[in-house]
Amino acid sequence: MKLVLPIFVLAAIVGRLSGGRFSNLDRLRPAWMPLALIGFALQVAPVPGTWPLVLLLASFVVLFIFAVRNVRLPGFPLVLLGVVLNGLVIGVNHGMPVSERAIVASGQEDALAGLVAAPTAKHHLAGDDDELLFLGDVIAIPQPVGQIVSVGDVFTYAGAAWVIVAGMRRRSAIVARVPVPLRVPEGEGARAS
């Protein structure tokens, strides 16, 4: 989650440098936006017992529906792919497997003991019985960021960035494509020969 804000800021900078306007983001209205908010809320809801895994899986169903509904918007195909990949690896493994090698490479060795002692519904240390480990949290981003991401995260972040850049450029791109009508002075229309 540490990467969300920097990625949004970088996307906004790219959007601005490529001729986009921040004001154009006001018109960016993905359909069924409350589903995205519900999906994220389900991922962080503090509930006991087996409910955290149920809510986590439900969040991916909700996010999947949201992404499918908006798949025609620029960037959403990547968001959809990211949601599917993360939901798949979490569903198969009853949580996101996190690579020990990636923890060390990202400079988060202090988190290793906590992950072993108290795995959560969302994350657990990858073991021999985990499936599709290449889709888990295996991509280390070293310090000063110090983060681990999955392939699904990469697609989701790239898609979200694309949504922002395309949203900022939307009006100028539309204006550039509209042909300017030719004005013919009155009385000089088509003349019969």
Side-chain angles (χ1 to χ4, degrees):
M1 293 301 274
K2 282 195 258 182
L3 291 175
V4 173
L5 183 59
I7 286 171
F8 286 1
V9 169
L10 181 61
I13 291 168
V14 170
R16 187 70 182 111
L17 292 175
S18 62
R21 296 176 182 227
F22 293 112
S23 60
N24 289 345
L25 289 175
D26 288 343
R27 286 188 293 274
L28 182 64
R29 301 209 195 301
W32 300 356
M33 193 62 189
L35 284 184
L37 302 175
I38 291 168
F40 290 121
L42 288 172
Q43 291 191 14
V44 296
V47 292
T50 59
W51 284 105
L53 180 60
V54 172
L55 292 180
L56 181 62
L57 294 174
S59 78
F60 280 98
V61 171
V62 170
L63 292 171
F64 174 80
I65 293 167
F66 170 69
V68 166
R69 176 61 179 89
N70 291 288
V71 77
R72 291 187 178 193
L73 294 176
F76 269 92
L78 290 178
V79 172
L80 176 61
L81 181 57
V83 167
V84 168
L85 294 177
N86 279 342
L88 177 65
V89 70
I90 287 172
V92 167
N93 295 303
H94 301 233
M96 178 65 81
V98 182
S99 161
E100 182 176 355
R101 184 176 41 86
I103 292 172
V104 173
S106 68
Q108 299 182 83
E109 295 89 351
D110 54 332
L112 187 58
L115 199 56
V116 171
T120 65
K122 193 164 184 182
H123 295 98
H124 64 269
L125 188 63
D128 294 337
D129 56 337
D130 283 312
E131 306 280 335
L132 304 172
L133 188 56
F134 68 97
L135 293 178
D137 278 353
V138 296
I139 303 169
I141 302 171
Q143 297 295 340
V145 176
Q147 186 73 30
I148 306 166
V149 296
S150 66
V151 173
D153 292 337
V154 171
F155 281 111
T156 303
Y157 292 151
W162 188 357
V163 169
I164 291 170
V165 172
M168 288 178 69
R169 293 181 41 116
R170 174 160 277 175
R171 183 173 185 194
S172 55
I174 291 171
V175 171
R177 290 186 198 147
V178 176
V180 177
L182 291 176
R183 299 199 113 196
V184 179
E186 286 186 36
E188 292 189 21
R191 295 183 183 156
S193 319

